[in-house]
Amino acid sequence: MLKNRKTAFTLVEVLVAATIMLFILYFAYQIFFSQSRAVTQTIDALQANEGFRRVLAFVGDDIKEATRIVKPTPINLEDVPSVTTTIGSILIVQSSEIDPKISFDSPLGGQISQITTVEYELEPMNSSLEEKEDTSENKATRYRLIRNETIEEKNGEKSRQRQTIADNIKEFAVFRTVRKPFKANSVESINDRIIEQIPISEAGTGNSLIHIRMSIERHRQKSELNKENIYTVTMNTSFYKRGKEIFLHP
């Protein structure tokens, strides 16, 4: 007659199973954490690229279509190094539309049927990068670029729109420089010139050309070998106002 035999795990078997389970959980956690970090870095890179693209699209179009630049005020070329990032309004441009069908007594002046005013401003933000990195350098204030558009029509109607253009901005400087006049020379020989042209790097670029210096911070991806996890991407560009100034007849 067979007796019922009860089976059970020994202490050694339990310890071995627990050890194997811990190893499995550890590697699963490492894989999950690395994948999560890779996704975060990829999103940061896409957001940085999208921020630059939106600045080129929105700011570039607003400046090129403008008929008047209200802000910034032109400065001398030697004062450019002192231009820094400031909170608040940094750029204001206006574009006017003329309708030859209306009379010159438009409330907006002349035959102007519509005025569009676009103002860009910087506001401080609590970046997610600050929460993930605990160094004094990365705790510097980051900014958000806001675009405010106001459309005013001749019948008195106004419409406003506010939208965010870019985040995690470390630097955003906007300036335009005064164009110095040409130098006058005396003509003593056949090769002499009455007017000596000054290079743009010395004379400035004029009131209609707006320069932008912009930096965005993002996480560095694993394929980008460097000791620092967070680094700055910088863009320097310029936009020319192509619209003609509209002046009222005196």
Side-chain angles (χ1 to χ4, degrees):
M1 184 175 179
L2 296 177
K3 297 182 179 180
N4 294 331
R5 304 178 64 183
K6 296 182 179 179
T7 60
F9 294 107
T10 64
L11 179 61
V12 176
E13 292 174 335
V14 171
L15 292 176
V16 170
T19 303
I20 295 175
M21 183 61 66
L22 288 176
F23 274 107
I24 294 176
L25 292 176
Y26 173 77
F27 286 114
Y29 173 79
Q30 290 295 325
I31 293 174
F32 173 79
F33 182 78
S34 61
Q35 292 296 325
S36 176
R37 188 174 184 84
V39 171
T40 301
Q41 293 171 343
T42 302
I43 293 176
D44 288 341
L46 293 175
Q47 289 178 344
N49 294 336
E50 179 67 11
F52 285 122
R53 187 194 67 80
R54 289 173 65 86
V55 168
L56 291 174
F58 284 92
V59 180
D61 288 346
D62 290 334
I63 294 175
K64 286 183 279 188
E65 296 175 0
T67 55
R68 183 189 175 202
I69 300 175
V70 181
K71 194 176 186 179
T73 304
I75 60 176
N76 295 324
L77 188 62
E78 52 269 21
D79 296 330
V80 170
S82 63
V83 178
T84 58
T85 303
T86 56
I87 298 176
S89 177
I90 58 175
L91 174 65
I92 302 176
V93 294
Q94 289 183 337
S95 59
S96 303
E97 295 183 9
I98 295 180
D99 186 359
K101 298 179 181 179
I102 65 177
S103 59
F104 282 87
D105 58 354
S106 170
L108 302 179
Q111 291 180 304
I112 299 177
S113 60
Q114 178 177 293
I115 296 179
T116 302
T117 303
V118 179
E119 178 181 13
Y120 286 90
E121 60 178 341
L122 285 177
E123 63 178 25
M125 60 175 293
N126 294 324
S127 173
S128 58
L129 298 180
E130 296 180 6
E131 301 174 358
K132 298 178 182 179
E133 304 298 330
D134 191 22
T135 63
S136 58
E137 180 181 356
N138 292 326
K139 282 186 178 180
T141 303
R142 292 172 181 83
Y143 307 93
R144 177 181 293 110
L145 182 64
I146 305 296
R147 179 181 184 271
N148 300 300
E149 181 184 55
T150 302
I151 299 177
E152 184 178 2
E153 301 182 11
K154 61 181 180 62
N155 57 7
E157 294 183 358
K158 287 186 178 181
S159 59
R160 293 180 175 86
Q161 183 181 15
R162 178 182 174 88
Q163 61 186 132
T164 300
I165 301 299
D167 291 327
N168 285 328
I169 297 176
K170 183 177 181 181
E171 179 189 18
F172 199 98
V174 182
F175 60 92
R176 51 180 176 154
T177 57
V178 179
R179 177 70 175 175
K180 296 180 180 178
F182 294 143
K183 294 181 179 178
N185 294 332
S186 60
V187 180
E188 297 179 355
S189 63
I190 191 172
N191 293 325
D192 289 343
R193 296 182 178 181
I194 299 178
I195 297 178
E196 178 183 351
Q197 294 185 355
I198 306 176
I200 293 178
S201 58
E202 300 177 6
T205 55
N207 298 333
S208 297
L209 191 64
I210 295 182
H211 308 276
I212 295 178
R213 185 173 64 246
M214 175 183 177
S215 298
I216 292 182
E217 289 190 341
R218 70 171 177 87
H219 285 90
R220 188 181 298 276
Q221 300 185 38
K222 290 184 178 180
S223 58
E224 302 168 334
L225 300 178
N226 197 284
K227 296 181 180 179
E228 297 180 0
N229 183 34
I230 293 179
Y231 79 117
T232 303
V233 186
T234 303
M235 177 184 69
N236 293 281
T237 187
S238 303
F239 300 103
Y240 186 79
K241 179 182 73 68
R242 297 183 296 193
K244 300 299 181 182
E245 299 281 353
I246 298 177
F247 299 99
L248 297 179
H249 194 283

